[in-house]
Amino acid sequence: MTVAPDFPRSVSDTFTATREQIVLPQGKSYLVRRDDYPNPICIWNYHPEWEIHFIPAAQGFAYVGDYVGPFKPGHLMLTGTNLPHNWITPGAPHLPGRDLVLQFDADALIGARSVCREFEVLHRLKPSADRGLEILGPEAIEIGGKVIELHESQGSSRLGLFIEILERVEAAPHKRILASEHFTATYNNVSDRRHRRIDRAIQIMQSNPGASMHEVAYLVGLESSAFSRAFRRLTGMNFSAYSRSVRVWRARTLLAETDVPITDICFEAGFNNLSNFNRYFRLETGFTPREYRKTARIRTRSLVSSVAANERSAP
């Protein structure tokens, strides 16, 4: 799927976010963790701390400021102070350890750069972090590997690894800025009820892909017309396009991980007939459902063989 339509460019058209409360471990400059998805904290949120976010093996949509676009396995992004963000994998029932999250008080570390020159890198990164920075190419996976290493390591060497991650982000040759200058200059970081309703709507759609817009609007307490406008403002997509994406994602999971007949998957994923299912599935993935199942199983067998080979060659 290509990038979804742009967000509106005015603050009045943009939903505010929920503030995430982050507590850094005592005596540490940063917090690194691995989160499952879905997760209660995986919502449209902001916080004063900077965040490096790595998603090794999942796909979905990234929302950063007024930017919305797809992400693929190996996705790595830096978000700065109070920049709202979220990563959604439509239709995923449960993805253990989907997210590696590294959070730190960059302002405090920038203030300490006179005595610890290594943190000068944060001062140089600040203009990019304020708008969100995506690392592209193989460097994203390499830096993500360092985040995983930091998560799993112990001892005093961790600070050096943390600084190495920051330096690699700055040095990465291929990257792009995400949120617009207008957004970061004017966005008001105060949560409101409208956003919470849309976030709840997305949760409903993920658990019930066949739900209609009228049903979802009713469940979150909005009139259909108001809900439709609000949904597009937050997600950058109209309800029908987003709903179709959720249903196709659910079908992909069932095709890859179960032996459920394709006709049954069609209805379980929320489609009304097999013809529409086949058409939209091919439009979203480039495969027919049957082709996708065959390809997914070849990939699974290859992964299993690779793991087994590594285990046999291990000393």
Side-chain angles (χ1 to χ4, degrees):
M1 173 179 285
T2 57
V3 174
D6 286 341
F7 267 78
R9 295 307 190 195
S10 67
V11 173
S12 61
D13 285 340
T14 306
F15 289 103
T16 53
T18 299
R19 188 187 191 283
E20 179 184 348
Q21 184 67 37
I22 296 171
V23 179
L24 299 179
Q26 186 173 5
K28 300 291 184 183
S29 304
Y30 58 84
L31 167 68
V32 60
R33 67 176 192 266
R34 190 157 198 162
D35 293 338
D36 295 343
Y37 180 87
N39 190 304
I41 63 173
C42 186
I43 59 174
W44 180 240
N45 75 91
Y46 71 96
H47 40 77
E49 296 79 8
W50 289 19
E51 178 172 314
I52 293 176
H53 203 106
F54 179 55
I55 302 181
Q59 302 181 63
F61 295 100
Y63 304 85
V64 178
D66 55 353
Y67 166 86
V68 57
F71 68 81
K72 297 180 179 180
H75 170 82
L76 186 91
M77 191 177 291
L78 168 67
T79 55
T81 300
N82 292 334
L83 180 63
H85 53 266
N86 194 14
W87 289 264
I88 293 176
T89 298
H94 182 60
L95 296 174
R98 188 196 70 164
D99 306 81
L100 270 297
V101 180
L102 173 57
Q103 296 168 324
F104 48 95
D105 186 346
D107 290 339
L109 296 177
I110 289 172
R113 71 186 191 278
S114 61
V115 293
C116 185
R117 300 300 297 174
E118 288 81 359
F119 290 129
E120 183 69 33
V121 62
L122 291 171
H123 180 66
R124 297 191 297 268
L125 280 171
K126 183 172 173 53
S128 299
D130 285 345
R131 295 174 56 188
L133 182 68
E134 182 178 10
I135 308 303
L136 306 171
E139 289 77 18
I141 296 177
E142 293 170 5
I143 297 169
K146 292 294 179 181
V147 176
I148 294 174
E149 184 180 343
L150 180 64
H151 179 252
E152 296 174 348
S153 64
Q154 301 291 332
S156 58
S157 63
R158 301 182 85 201
L159 180 59
L161 187 53
F162 171 54
I163 294 172
E164 181 184 354
I165 290 168
L166 299 176
E167 292 174 341
R168 285 187 175 223
V169 167
E170 182 190 28
H174 306 293
K175 46 200 174 192
R176 59 174 171 172
I177 302 294
L178 300 179
S180 69
E181 289 184 1
H182 173 75
F183 180 90
T184 55
T186 58
Y187 181 68
N188 179 18
N189 292 310
V190 179
S191 177
D192 69 14
R193 185 171 56 187
R194 291 176 301 169
H195 166 70
R196 290 192 293 271
R197 284 175 168 172
I198 299 304
D199 193 70
R200 171 63 180 150
I202 291 172
Q203 295 174 15
I204 292 170
M205 293 167 67
Q206 290 185 4
S207 61
N208 182 11
S212 70
M213 186 181 74
H214 300 291
E215 291 170 333
V216 176
Y218 173 79
L219 289 172
V220 299
L222 286 173
E223 295 291 334
S224 294
S225 58
F227 172 77
S228 178
R229 292 192 299 270
F231 190 89
R232 187 179 183 91
R233 286 169 183 163
L234 176 61
T235 67
M237 302 174 69
N238 61 40
F239 180 88
S240 60
Y242 193 94
S243 177
R244 185 170 66 241
S245 175
V246 169
R247 284 178 279 157
V248 169
W249 205 286
R250 174 62 175 157
R252 288 170 63 175
T253 301
L254 292 170
L255 287 166
E257 299 179 4
T258 75
D259 293 319
V260 174
I262 290 174
T263 301
D264 293 344
I265 288 176
C266 162
F267 296 106
E268 187 167 342
F271 288 92
N272 294 324
N273 61 71
L274 195 58
S275 177
N276 279 342
F277 173 53
N278 287 326
R279 179 159 57 93
Y280 286 126
F281 191 92
R282 186 160 195 165
L283 182 67
E284 295 266 349
T285 68
F287 295 94
T288 67
R290 192 175 303 278
E291 290 168 344
Y292 184 86
R293 172 169 270 173
K294 181 178 179 181
T295 302
R297 291 186 173 180
I298 291 172
R299 177 180 179 274
T300 299
R301 287 196 295 271
S302 297
L303 287 172
V304 171
S305 299
S306 176
V307 170
N310 288 337
E311 289 177 347
R312 288 195 298 271
S313 62

